[in-house]
Amino acid sequence: MTTPSDDFPEGPRPVQPTIPSNLTGVPDSAALGSTLTTADSPFSAAPTSAVSAQPAGKVKVRGRLLKLMLSMSVANLAIFGIWGAVPGILLPLQVQGIVGDDPTAKAGALAVIATIGAFAAMVAQPIAGTVSDRTRSRFGRRAPWMVGGVLIGGLALIGMGVGSTLVQVGIAWVIVQIAYNFAQGPLSAILPDRVPSAVRGTFSALSGLGLMLGALGGQIAGAAFATAIPAGYLVFAGVALVVLVLFVVLNPDRSNRGEPKPPFDFVAFLKTFWVSPVKHPDFFWGFTGRLLLFAGYFMVTGYQLYILQDYIGLKDKAVALVPLLGILSLAGTLISTLIGGPLSDKLGRRKIVVIVAGIILAISLVFPLVMPTVTGMLVFSFVSGLGFGAYQSVDTALMSEVLPSKDDFAKDLGVLNIAATLPQTLAPGLAGLIVVAFGGAYTPLFPIGIVIAIVGAFAVLPIKSVR
């Protein structure tokens, strides 16, 4: 049974629309039906993403949809605050405190820990999505994993704070990666679960804003805990736990205990780690573009502290500059994010925004290359914020429209999120390996990042199902 709501005042729609197996259509309702599946909540986690195709002229972002959008933005802020603070600031400082100030030693140690943690994240995301898609509980299929993930991840962060050896820190970091990815994967599936296609650009913009505010704000807040790393881990863990619990409480899902579970094929699941460019070319190109753009960006920003210390030459004064760089990045991000998503909805185009954003990212990396000074880093921070904010404002909307399966939203988004999580966590390690390979030189990071960002920007061109 369906009922009208403040969010969709035009009234009820058929309960079981026919939905194509590949949600890659244009961003309106031409190819999809639309429905509300329960009177308890207009945003159920129905396997068919029932509200995903409301006509653009009839969808209004208000009421429960507005609450969902704002609270998901805050949830992204809380989780990505951890990804901004820990691998960007606190973990490098902790590693440096264990191995010393030698550039080669600390870069190599960070590379090992970051690489192991990155592969843990890569495996955790699609597993979390697959398990979430098949979960049946009175709280729906996403909430149990979001809450459980931030709880276990928080305990692991506290464990990192008391670690005194690289082995202890590395083991705790792996648990942190797995646990928070088990929260982040189901959270990312909220968009195709509950958000109409016609407003996914606006939704993605605010959601992406939360992501960027978290990642950059995490760097700023992380710098404040530079001399109290265990306390920093405790604060970030506590904030994430409170925010995700509130998200679940404020946006309750319906019970799905009576729903049949989709069949699970272990061999097919293993194959999802390889995205076939033949069977799902749009998904493949979307994954590739995201992977490369994130890698080009986080190769520098994820290694920012050591760059400031050893490339710019600030040494112990480097941490003090991090908040200013973060503020400049936030300013650029706010400008481009608030413009990019709504503009994408108005134009009905996603790819052009992604391409322009990638070019801006590449340009930003030129400044510290030709100006290895504080000024060069300040300009880089603002311009990269413009580029990455514009990209993030439409990326989620574009990705949600190239998912291969209507029954495996969380699993497919989990695979896509590898392309986001892997560069963020692996980039410091990859940058460290490059620095070590070039005898302690930082200069190669920037031209390599420029090439990667440009290739990533144009990787979305072959996508045919999204304009």
Side-chain angles (χ1 to χ4, degrees), residues 269-330:
F269 168 73
L270 291 179
K271 290 180 179 179
T272 62
F273 287 92
W274 162 247
V275 183
S276 171
V278 176
K279 294 181 64 176
H280 305 293
D282 287 355
F283 186 82
F284 171 81
W285 289 114
F287 178 95
T288 301
R290 176 185 279 196
L291 178 69
L292 293 175
L293 273 169
F294 272 65
Y297 178 74
F298 285 103
M299 183 181 295
V300 174
T301 59
Y303 205 59
Q304 182 171 262
L305 181 63
Y306 289 172
I307 288 174
L308 292 172
Q309 288 179 339
D310 302 321
Y311 178 66
I312 305 300
L314 295 181
K315 302 301 181 184
D316 293 338
K317 298 179 181 179
V319 174
L321 186 62
V322 170
L324 177 58
L325 296 180
I327 290 172
L328 287 172
S329 291
L330 284 176

Side-chain angles (χ1 to χ4, degrees), residues 89-377:
I89 301 293
L90 299 180
L91 180 57
L93 286 174
Q94 191 172 14
V95 168
Q96 183 174 311
I98 295 173
V99 304
D101 294 329
D102 178 71
T104 303
K106 67 184 182 183
L110 182 62
V112 172
I113 292 176
T115 300
I116 295 173
F119 280 106
M122 181 180 70
V123 174
Q125 275 273 0
I127 291 177
T130 297
V131 173
S132 171
D133 283 331
R134 288 158 176 78
T135 295
R136 300 295 179 263
S137 77
R138 61 174 295 190
F139 304 106
R141 53 181 175 168
R142 313 299 185 198
W145 299 103
M146 287 190 284
V147 174
V150 292
L151 177 60
I152 296 173
L155 294 175
L157 269 180
I158 295 172
M160 279 185 67
V162 300
S164 58
T165 68
L166 291 178
V167 173
Q168 292 172 337
V169 172
I171 291 173
W173 180 235
V174 167
I175 298 173
V176 167
Q177 289 278 19
I178 293 173
Y180 281 111
N181 276 288
F182 259 81
Q184 185 179 323
L187 176 64
S188 66
I190 297 295
L191 187 141
D193 272 354
R194 309 188 190 187
V195 179
S197 172
V199 293
R200 283 182 185 174
T202 301
F203 193 101
S204 178
L206 281 182
S207 180
L209 180 62
L211 184 154
M212 284 301 300
L213 287 173
L216 297 173
Q219 292 181 15
I220 297 172
F225 291 100
T227 58
I229 294 174
Y233 289 152
L234 178 62
V235 168
F236 283 104
V239 169
L241 178 61
V242 171
V243 169
L244 266 293
V245 169
L246 285 176
F247 176 86
V248 170
V249 171
L250 292 174
N251 303 278
D253 201 355
R254 65 181 177 87
S255 171
N256 66 343
R257 286 182 293 184
E259 293 182 1
K261 293 184 181 180
F264 175 70
D265 185 333
F266 182 70
V267 174
F269 168 73
L270 291 179
K271 290 180 179 179
T272 62
F273 287 92
W274 162 247
V275 183
S276 171
V278 176
K279 294 181 64 176
H280 305 293
D282 287 355
F283 186 82
F284 171 81
W285 289 114
F287 178 95
T288 301
R290 176 185 279 196
L291 178 69
L292 293 175
L293 273 169
F294 272 65
Y297 178 74
F298 285 103
M299 183 181 295
V300 174
T301 59
Y303 205 59
Q304 182 171 262
L305 181 63
Y306 289 172
I307 288 174
L308 292 172
Q309 288 179 339
D310 302 321
Y311 178 66
I312 305 300
L314 295 181
K315 302 301 181 184
D316 293 338
K317 298 179 181 179
V319 174
L321 186 62
V322 170
L324 177 58
L325 296 180
I327 290 172
L328 287 172
S329 291
L330 284 176
T333 299
L334 282 169
I335 294 171
S336 58
T337 299
L338 295 177
I339 294 174
L343 179 62
S344 171
D345 283 340
K346 184 176 181 179
L347 297 176
R349 297 178 181 272
R350 314 288 192 203
K351 293 194 293 185
I352 185 61
V353 179
V354 170
I355 293 171
V356 171
I359 293 173
I360 294 174
L361 271 177
I363 292 173
S364 73
L365 293 168
V366 174
F367 293 101
L369 176 63
V370 300
M371 291 190 298
T373 63
V374 170
T375 300
M377 289 299 294

